[in-house]
């Protein structure tokens, strides 16, 4: 538990990561920088500093965006270190709200009927236009539907596969993707089947465990990784259409015995589909459609270093991708961060909206559900925010 000494020793305190860190850029404060956080982690490991509320605040203020990891010449594994530090803090500082957060991401998000019920409740409030009790982002969240008795699910084998499939794909159902973004799953399935793959969504799978790992619920994250490692055995590819989930699946070697097998077969849907387009196994739109703004999710750009794939998909859909942020700063969503560090999340969200508004475009693509919720909440109803795979599927359809 906690970052390992080898991980801590990776940092040579050069400070090259500082200008890439959103919380350092907002505050100019070393304690809100990657280097400051690593120095604090090291001081906790040696016992020089107590694991107290000040330390907890430093760790909590980090977005987990991993921009520092991408900028670091020493290849710091900052994401894993922060997850270790938060797991240690959960032991040292077991606050009520922390417990509640870990219960939510470690247990409740896996209870499909509960999520379906909550979604339906929000959907009813939206239909009745009684939304003032809801957080702003949920008032206009897309895909929330009225009451359903049974949860919507993509689990199972899907039809329309050719007699000789190009390979088998296990699609990660995810926690909120099934309920809140079913159109993204539909587009992913449609595109993969068009390329000749047999698409399954194995029944025994659970939430990938990314949110649990980020919140320091290490035992829950390990349990989910173990179950998914068994559920995904035997498939040629494991595909996720949520960047935060694909990033976490690629790190399963850290979370479950045999998890390296999952890591080796996992691809984010954007990289998989971009390869299929490049190989000529998926088509390109025949005529231009216009332009869309591109927002890079941190867990695609920084954690997986994938930037060209979503742009290639947008081009194949007949659109011109328009850049909004050369630095790829976090939009402020960052899982539950947008709830418990609300003010900072709002500041970062507003910055992103200004960048999008400056393009004059009314359509934005982003490949992660958290970013989509954050952008929708800030942009309002005059904009379309969608996953690049939806844009591509829409164009082909
Ligand atoms: S994390 Fe990397 S870039 Fe940042 S101070 Fe340490 S060695 Fe330098
Ligand atoms: S993960 Fe993001 S917010 Fe946290 S230290 Fe690194 S760059 Fe800063």
């Amino acid at each position: 538990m906690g970052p390992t000494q080898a991980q801590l020793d990776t940092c040579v305190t050069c400070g090259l990561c500082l200008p890439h860190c959103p919380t350092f850029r907002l505050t100019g404060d070393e304690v809100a920088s990657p280097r400051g956080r690593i120095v604090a982690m090291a001081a906790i490991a040696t016992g020089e500093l107590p694991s107290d509320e000040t330390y907890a605040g430093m760790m909590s203020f980090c977005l987990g965006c991993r921009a520092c990891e991408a900028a670091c010449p020493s290849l710091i594994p900052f994401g894993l270190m922060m997850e270790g530090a938060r797991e240690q803090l959960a032991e040292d500082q077991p606050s009520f709200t922390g417990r509640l957060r870990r219960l939510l991401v470690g247990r409740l998000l896996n209870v499909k009927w509960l999520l379906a019920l909550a979604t339906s409740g929000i959907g009813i409030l939206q239909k009745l236009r009684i939304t003032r009790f809801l957080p702003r982002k949920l008032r206009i969240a897309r895909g929330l539907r009225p009451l359903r008795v049974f949860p919507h699910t993509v689990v199972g084998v899907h039809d329309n596969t050719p007699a000789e499939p190009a390979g088998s794909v296990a699609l990660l159902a995810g926690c909120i993707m099934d309920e809140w973004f079913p159109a993204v799953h539909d587009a992913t399935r449609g595109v993969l089947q068009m390329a000749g793959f047999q698409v399954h969504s194995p029944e025994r799978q659970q939430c990938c465990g990314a949110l649990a790992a980020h919140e320091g619920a290490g035992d829950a994250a390990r349990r989910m990784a173990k179950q998914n490692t068994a559920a995904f055995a035997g498939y040629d590819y494991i595909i996720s259409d949520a960047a935060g989930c694909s990033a976490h699946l690629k790190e399963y070697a850290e979370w479950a015995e045999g998890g390296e097998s999952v890591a080796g077969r996992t691809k984010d849907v954007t990289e998989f589909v971009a390869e299929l387009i490049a190989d000529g196994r998926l088509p390109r739109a025949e005529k231009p459609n216009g332009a869309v703004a591109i927002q890079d999710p941190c867990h695609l750009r920084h954690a997986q270093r994938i930037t060209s794939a979503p742009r290639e998909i947008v081009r194949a859909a007949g659109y011109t991708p328009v850049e909004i942020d050369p630095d790829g700063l976090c939009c402020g969503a960052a899982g539950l961060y947008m709830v418990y560090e609300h003010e900072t999340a709002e500041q970062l969200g507003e910055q992103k909206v200004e960048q999008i508004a400056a393009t004059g475009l009314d359509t934005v693509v982003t490949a992660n559900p958290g970013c989509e919720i954050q952008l929708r909440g800030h942009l309002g109803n005059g904009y379309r925010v969608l996953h690049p795979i939806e844009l591509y599927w829409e164009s082909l359809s």
Side-chain angles (χ1 to χ4, degrees):
M1 205 177 288
T4 66
Q5 195 54 48
Q7 289 171 340
L8 292 166
D9 289 344
T10 309
C11 179
V12 295
T13 65
C14 65
L16 289 173
C17 53
L18 268 60
H20 300 271
C21 173
T23 54
F24 178 74
R25 280 168 68 146
L26 282 178
T27 63
D29 194 344
E30 177 77 18
V31 300
S33 79
R35 181 173 61 186
R37 290 178 176 123
I38 294 165
V39 168
M41 288 176 196
I44 297 293
T46 58
E48 273 173 74
L49 280 180
S51 179
D52 58 9
E53 279 182 17
T54 307
Y55 176 63
M58 281 178 79
M59 298 302 120
S60 162
F61 194 48
C62 170
L63 292 144
C65 70
R66 296 169 66 171
C68 49
E69 213 177 283
C72 175
S74 293
L75 307 178
I76 193 97
F78 190 85
L80 289 171
M81 292 165 71
M82 181 54 70
E83 285 162 359
R86 287 180 175 170
E87 188 176 358
Q88 187 178 17
L89 269 165
E91 286 273 311
D92 299 345
Q93 298 269 324
S95 68
F96 175 72
T97 51
R99 280 200 177 122
L100 209 57
R101 286 196 327 235
R102 288 191 291 282
L103 177 70
L104 175 68
V105 297
R107 291 275 172 199
L108 301 185
L109 277 183
N110 264 321
V111 184
K112 288 277 181 195
W113 66 265
L114 198 58
L115 190 62
L117 196 65
T119 304
S120 299
I122 296 167
I124 288 170
L125 290 177
Q126 287 183 330
K127 283 256 176 222
L128 297 174
R129 300 189 185 279
I130 310 172
T131 54
R132 67 177 185 279
F133 305 112
L134 296 173
R136 179 158 58 108
K137 290 171 183 115
L138 290 184
R139 283 180 211 164
I140 53 171
R142 185 178 50 132
L144 302 181
R145 290 155 300 178
L147 187 64
R148 280 174 285 108
V149 180
F150 298 106
H152 172 87
T153 180
V154 299
V155 165
V157 183
H158 304 288
D159 298 334
N160 298 332
T161 46
E164 288 185 30
S168 62
V169 162
L171 173 64
L172 178 77
C175 49
I176 63 164
M177 288 300 291
D178 247 7
E179 282 301 323
W180 291 14
F181 299 94
V184 180
H185 276 338
D186 290 345
T188 296
R189 271 199 308 273
V191 169
L192 295 180
Q193 285 170 346
M194 181 184 251
F197 289 91
Q198 189 171 37
V199 184
H200 305 243
S201 202
E203 285 185 27
R204 287 180 59 213
Q205 67 174 303
Q206 295 206 329
C207 156
C208 71
L211 287 174
H214 301 337
E215 291 300 320
D219 286 342
R222 281 183 280 278
R223 177 173 38 77
M224 293 183 221
K226 183 178 173 189
Q227 179 142 352
N228 285 338
T229 299
F232 292 143
Y235 295 100
D236 297 328
Y237 300 98
I238 301 158
I239 300 295
S240 166
D241 48 22
C245 308
S246 51
H248 189 65
L249 290 172
K250 288 180 180 181
E251 290 182 342
Y252 259 25
E254 305 288 336
W255 295 96
E257 199 176 318
E260 59 279 0
S261 154
V262 171
R265 287 175 291 137
T266 293
K267 283 185 180 279
D268 187 84
V269 69
T270 56
E271 65 180 323
F272 195 57
V273 167
E275 284 168 17
L276 295 170
I277 293 167
D279 285 353
R281 292 158 74 187
L282 281 171
R284 293 174 183 277
E286 283 166 11
K287 53 182 191 324
N289 280 317
V292 295
I294 283 258
Q295 202 280 130
D296 288 313
C298 296
H299 280 81
L300 201 62
R301 179 174 175 137
H302 304 310
Q304 300 185 62
R305 317 289 158 89
I306 295 172
T307 49
S308 63
R311 288 159 177 78
E312 284 307 316
I313 293 172
V314 164
R315 283 189 198 99
Y319 291 85
T320 304
V322 175
E323 302 298 328
I324 60 167
D325 177 9
D327 295 339
L329 277 192
C330 181
C331 68
L336 295 186
Y337 192 93
M338 66 172 126
V339 179
Y340 64 78
E341 294 284 357
H342 183 70
E343 207 175 301
T344 307
E346 289 289 287
Q347 269 180 284
L348 291 168
E350 286 305 321
Q351 279 182 13
K352 202 57 76 177
V353 163
E354 283 167 22
Q355 291 169 332
I356 293 166
T359 66
L361 298 168
D362 62 2
T363 305
V364 192
V365 295
T366 186
N368 195 52
C371 310
E372 186 162 341
I373 291 171
Q374 173 78 330
L375 294 181
R376 283 181 168 276
H378 282 269
L379 286 168
N381 284 328
Y383 286 82
R384 290 183 82 206
V385 185
L386 66 173
H387 193 291
I389 208 73
E390 283 180 279
L391 190 76
Y392 180 60
W393 186 233
E394 185 182 281
S395 154
L396 296 186
S397 301

